[in-house]
Amino acid sequence: MQEGVIVKALSGFYYVEDGQTVRMCRARGVFKKKGITPLVGDHVTFSPIGSREGIIEDVHARRVELMRPPIANVDQALLVFSVKEPELNLWLLDRILVHTERAGLPGVIVLTKVDLLADRETFGPCAAAYERLGYPVVWVSSRTGEGIEEVRAHIQGKISVVTGQSGVGKSTLLNALSPELQLKSAEISHKLGRGRHTTRHVELLRIANQTYVADTPGFSQLEFGEMEPEELADCFRDIRQLRPQCQYRGCLHEAEEGCAVRPAVEEGRMAAWRYENYLEFLAELKDNKERRF
Ligand SMILES: Nc1nc2c(ncn2[C@@H]2O[C@H](COP(=O)(O)OP(=O)(O)OP(=O)(O)O)[C@@H](O)[C@H]2O)c(=O)[nH]1
Ligand SMILES: [Mg+2]
Ligand SMILES: [Zn+2]
């Protein structure tokens, strides 16, 4: 038996790197029975078959696990959003932040395609709002090279996952960081105003010594799965900070008396779009829960 890390998952095969080679492995059927899906980033024990194949026998306990996109044991997420083509979508940004916060992952917001922007001022207040919450915001153009070194500084010595809609420039960004990767990228469809889902699998790529980044397919939907409505407030850093001041412990921050969140929004201490997104996601989670019963 040997040990390695899953670096790629594709068509039912797991590509396991053991420090020397990458082997194409299948997972033992027992995982399916136990409801375990091996993820890219998983540390595994495998039985080798010849020099290029193997069978995964055991998936080691995960330090971190993210389901959207599916990956394990990363240190942080790079939330990649273009300012144009496609337009910056704060609803999706807040939605992906729910997933990363829930996984306990630090997030760095990367705003791409800033070369297409005539006036950056329009995005200034929005970027500042996320920075106040502790999310660094990096302005990037893979075309001019702006911000690439700043991204490099953020990923140095870490394992990161890039996530964002199709066509925002995730693969292009990784190519700018490391041209020898030669990842496929493609023009967005101008007719549909969105990307073409060029990247189709999750793959952990080596950028430098000790520095890895996982490229992932663009998401379109980001379902919350079986998450309790009560868990949502914890995934919004602004609400998490205000919550101790709410009068009732079980406050869901909708219209409760003595809630500290609503006044904060009215007085401009919390971003109004964040609160609107919170209420919308909350309604969705309540609805999901009803359907489960
Ligand atoms: N102007 C400009 N275009 C960019 C920039 N970054 C990427 N693009 C273009 O955006 C398009 C989509 O880029 P991709 O890297 O394929 O996007 P992706 O996020 O990997 O998309 P999926 O793999 O489908 O999820 C390509 O035509 C890129 O050339 C940028 O900084 N500026
Ligand atoms: Mg891609
Ligand atoms: Zn409240």
CSV table of all heavy atoms in Angstrom, one decimal, residues 63-120:
chain,number,residue,atom,x,y,z
A,63,ARG,N,-9.1,17.8,6.4
A,63,ARG,CA,-8.9,19.0,7.2
A,63,ARG,C,-10.0,20.0,6.8
A,63,ARG,O,-10.6,20.7,7.7
A,63,ARG,CB,-7.5,19.5,6.8
A,63,ARG,CG,-7.0,20.8,7.4
A,63,ARG,CD,-5.5,20.9,7.2
A,63,ARG,NE,-5.1,20.8,5.8
A,63,ARG,CZ,-5.1,21.9,5.0
A,63,ARG,NH1,-5.5,23.1,5.5
A,63,ARG,NH2,-4.7,21.8,3.8
A,64,VAL,N,-10.3,20.1,5.5
A,64,VAL,CA,-11.3,21.0,5.0
A,64,VAL,C,-12.0,20.3,3.9
A,64,VAL,O,-11.4,19.5,3.2
A,64,VAL,CB,-10.6,22.3,4.5
A,64,VAL,CG1,-11.7,23.2,3.7
A,64,VAL,CG2,-10.0,23.1,5.5
A,65,GLU,N,-13.3,20.6,3.7
A,65,GLU,CA,-14.0,20.0,2.6
A,65,GLU,C,-15.0,21.0,2.1
A,65,GLU,O,-15.8,21.6,2.8
A,65,GLU,CB,-14.7,18.7,3.2
A,65,GLU,CG,-16.0,18.3,2.6
A,65,GLU,CD,-16.6,17.1,3.3
A,65,GLU,OE1,-15.9,16.1,3.4
A,65,GLU,OE2,-17.7,17.3,3.9
A,66,LEU,N,-15.0,21.2,0.8
A,66,LEU,CA,-15.9,22.1,0.1
A,66,LEU,C,-16.6,21.3,-0.9
A,66,LEU,O,-16.1,20.4,-1.6
A,66,LEU,CB,-15.0,23.2,-0.6
A,66,LEU,CG,-15.7,24.5,-1.1
A,66,LEU,CD1,-16.2,25.2,0.1
A,66,LEU,CD2,-14.7,25.3,-1.8
A,67,MET,N,-18.0,21.5,-1.0
A,67,MET,CA,-18.7,20.7,-2.0
A,67,MET,C,-19.0,21.4,-3.3
A,67,MET,O,-19.2,20.9,-4.4
A,67,MET,CB,-20.0,20.2,-1.4
A,67,MET,CG,-19.8,19.0,-0.4
A,67,MET,SD,-19.0,17.6,-1.2
A,67,MET,CE,-18.4,16.7,0.2
A,68,ARG,N,-19.0,22.8,-3.2
A,68,ARG,CA,-19.2,23.6,-4.4
A,68,ARG,C,-18.0,24.6,-4.5
A,68,ARG,O,-18.0,25.6,-3.8
A,68,ARG,CB,-20.5,24.4,-4.4
A,68,ARG,CG,-21.7,23.5,-4.4
A,68,ARG,CD,-22.1,23.1,-5.8
A,68,ARG,NE,-23.3,22.3,-5.8
A,68,ARG,CZ,-23.3,21.0,-5.5
A,68,ARG,NH1,-22.2,20.4,-5.2
A,68,ARG,NH2,-24.4,20.3,-5.5
A,69,PRO,N,-17.0,24.4,-5.3
A,69,PRO,CA,-16.7,23.2,-6.1
A,69,PRO,C,-16.1,22.1,-5.2
A,69,PRO,O,-15.6,22.4,-4.1
A,69,PRO,CB,-15.5,23.8,-7.0
A,69,PRO,CG,-14.9,24.9,-6.3
A,69,PRO,CD,-16.0,25.5,-5.5
A,70,PRO,N,-16.2,20.9,-5.7
A,70,PRO,CA,-15.8,19.7,-4.9
A,70,PRO,C,-14.3,19.7,-4.7
A,70,PRO,O,-13.6,19.4,-5.7
A,70,PRO,CB,-16.4,18.5,-5.6
A,70,PRO,CG,-16.5,19.0,-7.0
A,70,PRO,CD,-16.7,20.5,-7.0
A,71,ILE,N,-13.8,19.9,-3.5
A,71,ILE,CA,-12.4,19.8,-3.3
A,71,ILE,C,-12.1,19.7,-1.8
A,71,ILE,O,-12.9,20.1,-1.0
A,71,ILE,CB,-11.6,21.1,-3.8
A,71,ILE,CG1,-10.1,20.9,-3.9
A,71,ILE,CG2,-12.0,22.4,-3.1
A,71,ILE,CD1,-9.4,21.5,-5.0
A,72,ALA,N,-11.0,19.1,-1.4
A,72,ALA,CA,-10.6,18.9,0.0
A,72,ALA,C,-9.3,19.5,0.3
A,72,ALA,O,-8.4,19.6,-0.6
A,72,ALA,CB,-10.6,17.4,0.3
A,73,ASN,N,-9.1,19.8,1.6
A,73,ASN,CA,-7.8,20.2,2.1
A,73,ASN,C,-7.1,21.4,1.4
A,73,ASN,O,-5.9,21.4,1.3
A,73,ASN,CB,-6.8,18.9,2.0
A,73,ASN,CG,-7.4,17.8,2.8
A,73,ASN,OD1,-8.1,17.9,3.8
A,73,ASN,ND2,-7.2,16.6,2.2
A,74,VAL,N,-7.9,22.4,1.1
A,74,VAL,CA,-7.3,23.6,0.6
A,74,VAL,C,-7.2,24.6,1.7
A,74,VAL,O,-7.9,24.5,2.7
A,74,VAL,CB,-8.1,24.2,-0.6
A,74,VAL,CG1,-8.0,23.3,-1.8
A,74,VAL,CG2,-9.5,24.4,-0.2
A,75,ASP,N,-6.3,25.6,1.5
A,75,ASP,CA,-6.1,26.6,2.6
A,75,ASP,C,-7.0,27.8,2.4
A,75,ASP,O,-7.3,28.6,3.3
A,75,ASP,CB,-4.7,27.1,2.6
A,75,ASP,CG,-3.7,26.0,2.8
A,75,ASP,OD1,-3.9,25.2,3.8
A,75,ASP,OD2,-2.7,25.8,2.1
A,76,GLN,N,-7.3,28.1,1.1
A,76,GLN,CA,-8.1,29.3,0.9
A,76,GLN,C,-8.8,29.2,-0.5
A,76,GLN,O,-8.5,28.4,-1.3
A,76,GLN,CB,-7.2,30.6,0.9
A,76,GLN,CG,-6.2,30.6,-0.2
A,76,GLN,CD,-5.4,31.9,-0.2
A,76,GLN,OE1,-5.5,32.7,0.7
A,76,GLN,NE2,-4.5,32.0,-1.2
A,77,ALA,N,-9.8,30.1,-0.7
A,77,ALA,CA,-10.5,30.2,-2.0
A,77,ALA,C,-10.2,31.5,-2.6
A,77,ALA,O,-10.2,32.5,-2.0
A,77,ALA,CB,-12.0,30.0,-1.8
A,78,LEU,N,-9.9,31.5,-3.9
A,78,LEU,CA,-9.9,32.7,-4.7
A,78,LEU,C,-11.2,32.8,-5.4
A,78,LEU,O,-11.6,32.0,-6.2
A,78,LEU,CB,-8.7,32.6,-5.8
A,78,LEU,CG,-7.3,32.4,-5.3
A,78,LEU,CD1,-6.3,32.5,-6.4
A,78,LEU,CD2,-6.9,33.5,-4.2
A,79,LEU,N,-12.0,33.9,-5.0
A,79,LEU,CA,-13.3,34.0,-5.6
A,79,LEU,C,-13.1,34.9,-6.8
A,79,LEU,O,-12.9,36.1,-6.7
A,79,LEU,CB,-14.2,34.7,-4.6
A,79,LEU,CG,-14.1,33.9,-3.2
A,79,LEU,CD1,-14.6,34.8,-2.1
A,79,LEU,CD2,-14.8,32.6,-3.2
A,80,VAL,N,-13.2,34.4,-8.0
A,80,VAL,CA,-12.9,35.1,-9.2
A,80,VAL,C,-14.2,35.6,-9.8
A,80,VAL,O,-15.1,34.9,-10.2
A,80,VAL,CB,-12.1,34.2,-10.2
A,80,VAL,CG1,-11.7,35.0,-11.4
A,80,VAL,CG2,-10.8,33.6,-9.5
A,81,PHE,N,-14.2,36.9,-10.0
A,81,PHE,CA,-15.4,37.6,-10.6
A,81,PHE,C,-14.9,38.6,-11.6
A,81,PHE,O,-14.0,39.4,-11.2
A,81,PHE,CB,-16.3,38.2,-9.5
A,81,PHE,CG,-17.1,37.2,-8.8
A,81,PHE,CD1,-16.5,36.4,-7.8
A,81,PHE,CD2,-18.4,37.1,-9.1
A,81,PHE,CE1,-17.3,35.4,-7.2
A,81,PHE,CE2,-19.2,36.1,-8.5
A,81,PHE,CZ,-18.6,35.3,-7.5
A,82,SER,N,-15.5,38.6,-12.8
A,82,SER,CA,-15.1,39.7,-13.7
A,82,SER,C,-15.9,40.9,-13.5
A,82,SER,O,-17.1,40.8,-13.1
A,82,SER,CB,-15.2,39.1,-15.2
A,82,SER,OG,-16.5,38.6,-15.3
A,83,VAL,N,-15.3,42.1,-13.8
A,83,VAL,CA,-16.1,43.3,-13.6
A,83,VAL,C,-17.0,43.5,-14.8
A,83,VAL,O,-18.0,44.2,-14.8
A,83,VAL,CB,-15.2,44.5,-13.4
A,83,VAL,CG1,-14.5,44.5,-12.0
A,83,VAL,CG2,-14.1,44.6,-14.5
A,84,LYS,N,-16.6,42.9,-15.9
A,84,LYS,CA,-17.4,42.9,-17.2
A,84,LYS,C,-17.3,41.6,-17.9
A,84,LYS,O,-16.2,41.0,-17.8
A,84,LYS,CB,-16.9,44.1,-18.1
A,84,LYS,CG,-17.6,45.4,-17.9
A,84,LYS,CD,-17.2,46.3,-19.0
A,84,LYS,CE,-18.2,47.4,-19.1
A,84,LYS,NZ,-18.1,48.2,-20.2
A,85,GLU,N,-18.3,41.3,-18.7
A,85,GLU,CA,-18.2,40.1,-19.6
A,85,GLU,C,-17.8,38.8,-18.9
A,85,GLU,O,-16.7,38.4,-19.1
A,85,GLU,CB,-17.3,40.4,-20.8
A,85,GLU,CG,-17.7,41.5,-21.6
A,85,GLU,CD,-16.9,41.7,-22.9
A,85,GLU,OE1,-16.0,40.8,-23.2
A,85,GLU,OE2,-17.0,42.8,-23.5
A,86,PRO,N,-18.6,38.2,-18.1
A,86,PRO,CA,-19.9,38.7,-17.6
A,86,PRO,C,-19.8,39.8,-16.5
A,86,PRO,O,-18.8,39.9,-15.8
A,86,PRO,CB,-20.5,37.4,-17.0
A,86,PRO,CG,-19.4,36.5,-16.7
A,86,PRO,CD,-18.3,36.9,-17.6
A,87,GLU,N,-20.9,40.6,-16.4
A,87,GLU,CA,-21.0,41.6,-15.4
A,87,GLU,C,-20.7,41.1,-13.9
A,87,GLU,O,-21.1,40.0,-13.7
A,87,GLU,CB,-22.4,42.3,-15.4
A,87,GLU,CG,-22.8,42.9,-16.7
A,87,GLU,CD,-22.1,44.3,-16.9
A,87,GLU,OE1,-21.9,45.0,-15.9
A,87,GLU,OE2,-21.8,44.6,-18.0
A,88,LEU,N,-20.2,41.9,-13.1
A,88,LEU,CA,-20.0,41.6,-11.7
A,88,LEU,C,-21.3,41.2,-11.1
A,88,LEU,O,-22.3,42.0,-11.1
A,88,LEU,CB,-19.4,42.7,-10.9
A,88,LEU,CG,-19.0,42.5,-9.5
A,88,LEU,CD1,-18.1,41.4,-9.3
A,88,LEU,CD2,-18.5,43.8,-8.9
A,89,ASN,N,-21.4,40.0,-10.5
A,89,ASN,CA,-22.6,39.5,-9.9
A,89,ASN,C,-22.5,39.3,-8.4
A,89,ASN,O,-21.9,38.3,-7.9
A,89,ASN,CB,-22.9,38.2,-10.6
A,89,ASN,CG,-24.3,37.6,-10.2
A,89,ASN,OD1,-24.7,37.8,-9.1
A,89,ASN,ND2,-24.9,36.9,-11.2
A,90,LEU,N,-23.0,40.3,-7.6
A,90,LEU,CA,-22.8,40.2,-6.2
A,90,LEU,C,-23.7,39.1,-5.5
A,90,LEU,O,-23.3,38.6,-4.4
A,90,LEU,CB,-23.1,41.6,-5.6
A,90,LEU,CG,-22.1,42.7,-6.0
A,90,LEU,CD1,-22.5,44.0,-5.4
A,90,LEU,CD2,-20.7,42.4,-5.6
A,91,TRP,N,-24.7,38.8,-6.2
A,91,TRP,CA,-25.6,37.8,-5.7
A,91,TRP,C,-24.8,36.4,-5.6
A,91,TRP,O,-24.8,35.7,-4.7
A,91,TRP,CB,-26.8,37.7,-6.6
A,91,TRP,CG,-27.9,36.7,-6.2
A,91,TRP,CD1,-28.9,37.0,-5.3
A,91,TRP,CD2,-28.0,35.4,-6.6
A,91,TRP,NE1,-29.7,35.8,-5.2
A,91,TRP,CE2,-29.2,34.8,-6.0
A,91,TRP,CE3,-27.3,34.5,-7.5
A,91,TRP,CZ2,-29.6,33.5,-6.2
A,91,TRP,CZ3,-27.8,33.2,-7.7
A,91,TRP,CH2,-28.9,32.8,-7.0
A,92,LEU,N,-24.1,36.2,-6.7
A,92,LEU,CA,-23.3,34.9,-6.8
A,92,LEU,C,-22.1,35.0,-5.9
A,92,LEU,O,-21.7,34.0,-5.3
A,92,LEU,CB,-22.8,34.7,-8.2
A,92,LEU,CG,-23.7,33.9,-9.1
A,92,LEU,CD1,-23.1,33.8,-10.5
A,92,LEU,CD2,-24.0,32.5,-8.6
A,93,LEU,N,-21.5,36.2,-5.7
A,93,LEU,CA,-20.4,36.4,-4.8
A,93,LEU,C,-20.8,36.0,-3.4
A,93,LEU,O,-20.2,35.2,-2.7
A,93,LEU,CB,-19.8,37.8,-4.9
A,93,LEU,CG,-18.7,38.1,-3.9
A,93,LEU,CD1,-17.5,37.2,-4.0
A,93,LEU,CD2,-18.2,39.6,-4.1
A,94,ASP,N,-22.0,36.6,-2.9
A,94,ASP,CA,-22.4,36.3,-1.6
A,94,ASP,C,-22.8,34.8,-1.4
A,94,ASP,O,-22.7,34.2,-0.4
A,94,ASP,CB,-23.6,37.2,-1.2
A,94,ASP,CG,-23.2,38.6,-1.0
A,94,ASP,OD1,-22.0,38.8,-0.6
A,94,ASP,OD2,-24.0,39.6,-1.1
A,95,ARG,N,-23.3,34.2,-2.5
A,95,ARG,CA,-23.7,32.8,-2.5
A,95,ARG,C,-22.4,31.9,-2.3
A,95,ARG,O,-22.4,31.0,-1.5
A,95,ARG,CB,-24.4,32.5,-3.8
A,95,ARG,CG,-25.6,31.7,-3.6
A,95,ARG,CD,-26.4,31.6,-4.9
A,95,ARG,NE,-27.1,30.3,-4.9
A,95,ARG,CZ,-28.3,30.1,-4.4
A,95,ARG,NH1,-28.9,31.0,-3.7
A,95,ARG,NH2,-28.8,28.9,-4.5
A,96,ILE,N,-21.4,32.2,-3.1
A,96,ILE,CA,-20.2,31.4,-3.0
A,96,ILE,C,-19.6,31.6,-1.6
A,96,ILE,O,-19.0,30.7,-1.0
A,96,ILE,CB,-19.2,31.6,-4.1
A,96,ILE,CG1,-18.0,30.6,-4.0
A,96,ILE,CG2,-18.7,33.0,-4.2
A,96,ILE,CD1,-18.3,29.2,-4.3
A,97,LEU,N,-19.7,32.8,-1.1
A,97,LEU,CA,-19.1,33.1,0.3
A,97,LEU,C,-19.8,32.3,1.3
A,97,LEU,O,-19.2,31.9,2.3
A,97,LEU,CB,-19.2,34.6,0.6
A,97,LEU,CG,-18.2,35.5,-0.1
A,97,LEU,CD1,-18.5,37.0,0.1
A,97,LEU,CD2,-16.7,35.2,0.4
A,98,VAL,N,-21.1,32.0,1.1
A,98,VAL,CA,-21.8,31.1,2.1
A,98,VAL,C,-21.1,29.7,2.1
A,98,VAL,O,-20.8,29.2,3.2
A,98,VAL,CB,-23.3,31.0,1.7
A,98,VAL,CG1,-23.9,29.9,2.5
A,98,VAL,CG2,-24.0,32.3,1.9
A,99,HIS,N,-20.8,29.3,0.9
A,99,HIS,CA,-20.1,27.9,0.9
A,99,HIS,C,-18.7,28.0,1.5
A,99,HIS,O,-18.3,27.1,2.3
A,99,HIS,CB,-20.0,27.5,-0.6
A,99,HIS,CG,-21.3,27.1,-1.2
A,99,HIS,ND1,-21.7,25.8,-1.2
A,99,HIS,CD2,-22.2,27.8,-1.8
A,99,HIS,CE1,-22.9,25.7,-1.7
A,99,HIS,NE2,-23.2,26.9,-2.1
A,100,THR,N,-17.9,29.0,1.2
A,100,THR,CA,-16.6,29.0,1.8
A,100,THR,C,-16.6,29.3,3.3
A,100,THR,O,-15.8,28.7,4.0
A,100,THR,CB,-15.7,30.1,1.0
A,100,THR,OG1,-16.3,31.4,1.1
A,100,THR,CG2,-15.5,29.7,-0.4
A,101,GLU,N,-17.5,30.2,3.7
A,101,GLU,CA,-17.5,30.5,5.2
A,101,GLU,C,-18.0,29.2,5.9
A,101,GLU,O,-17.5,28.9,7.0
A,101,GLU,CB,-18.6,31.6,5.5
A,101,GLU,CG,-18.1,33.0,5.1
A,101,GLU,CD,-16.8,33.4,5.8
A,101,GLU,OE1,-16.8,33.2,7.1
A,101,GLU,OE2,-15.9,34.0,5.2
A,102,ARG,N,-18.9,28.5,5.3
A,102,ARG,CA,-19.4,27.3,6.0
A,102,ARG,C,-18.3,26.2,6.1
A,102,ARG,O,-18.2,25.5,7.1
A,102,ARG,CB,-20.5,26.7,5.1
A,102,ARG,CG,-21.3,25.7,5.9
A,102,ARG,CD,-22.7,25.5,5.3
A,102,ARG,NE,-23.4,24.5,6.0
A,102,ARG,CZ,-23.9,23.4,5.5
A,102,ARG,NH1,-23.7,23.1,4.2
A,102,ARG,NH2,-24.5,22.5,6.3
A,103,ALA,N,-17.4,26.2,5.1
A,103,ALA,CA,-16.2,25.3,5.2
A,103,ALA,C,-15.1,25.9,6.0
A,103,ALA,O,-14.1,25.2,6.2
A,103,ALA,CB,-15.8,25.0,3.7
A,104,GLY,N,-15.3,27.1,6.5
A,104,GLY,CA,-14.2,27.7,7.3
A,104,GLY,C,-13.0,28.2,6.5
A,104,GLY,O,-11.9,28.2,7.0
A,105,LEU,N,-13.2,28.4,5.2
A,105,LEU,CA,-12.1,28.8,4.3
A,105,LEU,C,-12.0,30.3,4.2
A,105,LEU,O,-12.9,31.0,3.9
A,105,LEU,CB,-12.4,28.3,2.9
A,105,LEU,CG,-11.9,26.9,2.5
A,105,LEU,CD1,-12.2,26.8,1.0
A,105,LEU,CD2,-10.4,26.8,2.8
A,106,PRO,N,-10.8,30.8,4.4
A,106,PRO,CA,-10.5,32.3,4.1
A,106,PRO,C,-10.8,32.5,2.6
A,106,PRO,O,-10.5,31.6,1.7
A,106,PRO,CB,-9.1,32.5,4.4
A,106,PRO,CG,-8.7,31.3,5.2
A,106,PRO,CD,-9.5,30.2,4.8
A,107,GLY,N,-11.3,33.7,2.2
A,107,GLY,CA,-11.5,34.0,0.8
A,107,GLY,C,-10.8,35.2,0.4
A,107,GLY,O,-10.7,36.2,1.1
A,108,VAL,N,-10.2,35.2,-0.9
A,108,VAL,CA,-9.6,36.4,-1.5
A,108,VAL,C,-10.5,36.7,-2.7
A,108,VAL,O,-10.7,35.8,-3.5
A,108,VAL,CB,-8.2,36.1,-1.9
A,108,VAL,CG1,-7.6,37.3,-2.6
A,108,VAL,CG2,-7.3,35.8,-0.6
A,109,ILE,N,-11.0,37.9,-2.8
A,109,ILE,CA,-11.8,38.3,-4.0
A,109,ILE,C,-10.9,38.8,-5.1
A,109,ILE,O,-10.1,39.7,-4.9
A,109,ILE,CB,-12.8,39.3,-3.6
A,109,ILE,CG1,-13.8,38.7,-2.6
A,109,ILE,CG2,-13.6,39.8,-4.9
A,109,ILE,CD1,-14.8,39.7,-1.9
A,110,VAL,N,-11.0,38.2,-6.3
A,110,VAL,CA,-10.1,38.6,-7.4
A,110,VAL,C,-11.1,39.1,-8.5
A,110,VAL,O,-11.9,38.4,-9.0
A,110,VAL,CB,-9.3,37.4,-8.0
A,110,VAL,CG1,-8.5,37.8,-9.2
A,110,VAL,CG2,-8.4,36.8,-6.9
A,111,LEU,N,-11.0,40.4,-8.7
A,111,LEU,CA,-11.8,41.1,-9.8
A,111,LEU,C,-11.0,41.1,-11.0
A,111,LEU,O,-10.0,41.8,-11.1
A,111,LEU,CB,-12.2,42.5,-9.3
A,111,LEU,CG,-13.0,42.6,-8.1
A,111,LEU,CD1,-13.3,44.1,-7.8
A,111,LEU,CD2,-14.4,41.9,-8.2
A,112,THR,N,-11.5,40.4,-12.1
A,112,THR,CA,-10.7,40.2,-13.3
A,112,THR,C,-11.3,41.2,-14.4
A,112,THR,O,-12.4,41.7,-14.3
A,112,THR,CB,-10.8,38.8,-13.8
A,112,THR,OG1,-12.2,38.4,-14.0
A,112,THR,CG2,-10.2,37.8,-12.9
A,113,LYS,N,-10.5,41.2,-15.5
A,113,LYS,CA,-10.9,42.0,-16.7
A,113,LYS,C,-11.0,43.5,-16.4
A,113,LYS,O,-11.8,44.2,-17.0
A,113,LYS,CB,-12.2,41.5,-17.3
A,113,LYS,CG,-12.2,39.9,-17.5
A,113,LYS,CD,-13.2,39.5,-18.5
A,113,LYS,CE,-13.3,37.9,-18.5
A,113,LYS,NZ,-14.2,37.4,-19.6
A,114,VAL,N,-10.2,44.0,-15.5
A,114,VAL,CA,-10.3,45.4,-15.1
A,114,VAL,C,-9.9,46.3,-16.3
A,114,VAL,O,-10.2,47.5,-16.4
A,114,VAL,CB,-9.6,45.8,-13.8
A,114,VAL,CG1,-10.1,45.0,-12.6
A,114,VAL,CG2,-8.1,45.6,-14.0
A,115,ASP,N,-9.2,45.7,-17.3
A,115,ASP,CA,-8.8,46.4,-18.5
A,115,ASP,C,-10.0,46.9,-19.3
A,115,ASP,O,-10.0,47.8,-20.1
A,115,ASP,CB,-7.8,45.6,-19.4
A,115,ASP,CG,-8.4,44.2,-19.7
A,115,ASP,OD1,-8.4,43.3,-18.8
A,115,ASP,OD2,-8.9,44.0,-20.8
A,116,LEU,N,-11.2,46.2,-19.1
A,116,LEU,CA,-12.4,46.5,-19.8
A,116,LEU,C,-13.2,47.6,-19.2
A,116,LEU,O,-14.2,48.1,-19.7
A,116,LEU,CB,-13.3,45.3,-19.9
A,116,LEU,CG,-12.7,44.0,-20.7
A,116,LEU,CD1,-13.8,42.9,-20.6
A,116,LEU,CD2,-12.4,44.4,-22.1
A,117,LEU,N,-12.7,48.1,-18.0
A,117,LEU,CA,-13.4,49.1,-17.2
A,117,LEU,C,-12.9,50.5,-17.5
A,117,LEU,O,-11.7,50.8,-17.4
A,117,LEU,CB,-13.2,48.7,-15.8
A,117,LEU,CG,-14.3,49.0,-14.8
A,117,LEU,CD1,-15.5,48.3,-15.2
A,117,LEU,CD2,-13.8,48.5,-13.4
A,118,ALA,N,-13.9,51.4,-17.9
A,118,ALA,CA,-13.5,52.8,-18.1
A,118,ALA,C,-13.3,53.5,-16.8
A,118,ALA,O,-12.4,54.3,-16.6
A,118,ALA,CB,-14.5,53.4,-19.0
A,119,ASP,N,-14.3,53.2,-15.9
A,119,ASP,CA,-14.3,53.9,-14.6
A,119,ASP,C,-14.4,52.9,-13.5
A,119,ASP,O,-15.4,52.3,-13.2
A,119,ASP,CB,-15.6,54.8,-14.6
A,119,ASP,CG,-15.7,55.5,-13.3
A,119,ASP,OD1,-14.7,55.6,-12.6
A,119,ASP,OD2,-16.8,56.0,-13.1
A,120,ARG,N,-13.3,52.8,-12.7
A,120,ARG,CA,-13.2,51.9,-11.6
A,120,ARG,C,-14.0,52.4,-10.4
A,120,ARG,O,-14.4,51.6,-9.5
A,120,ARG,CB,-11.8,51.7,-11.1
A,120,ARG,CG,-11.1,50.8,-12.0
A,120,ARG,CD,-9.7,50.5,-11.5
A,120,ARG,NE,-9.0,50.0,-12.7
A,120,ARG,CZ,-7.8,49.5,-12.6
A,120,ARG,NH1,-7.2,49.4,-11.4
A,120,ARG,NH2,-7.2,49.1,-13.7
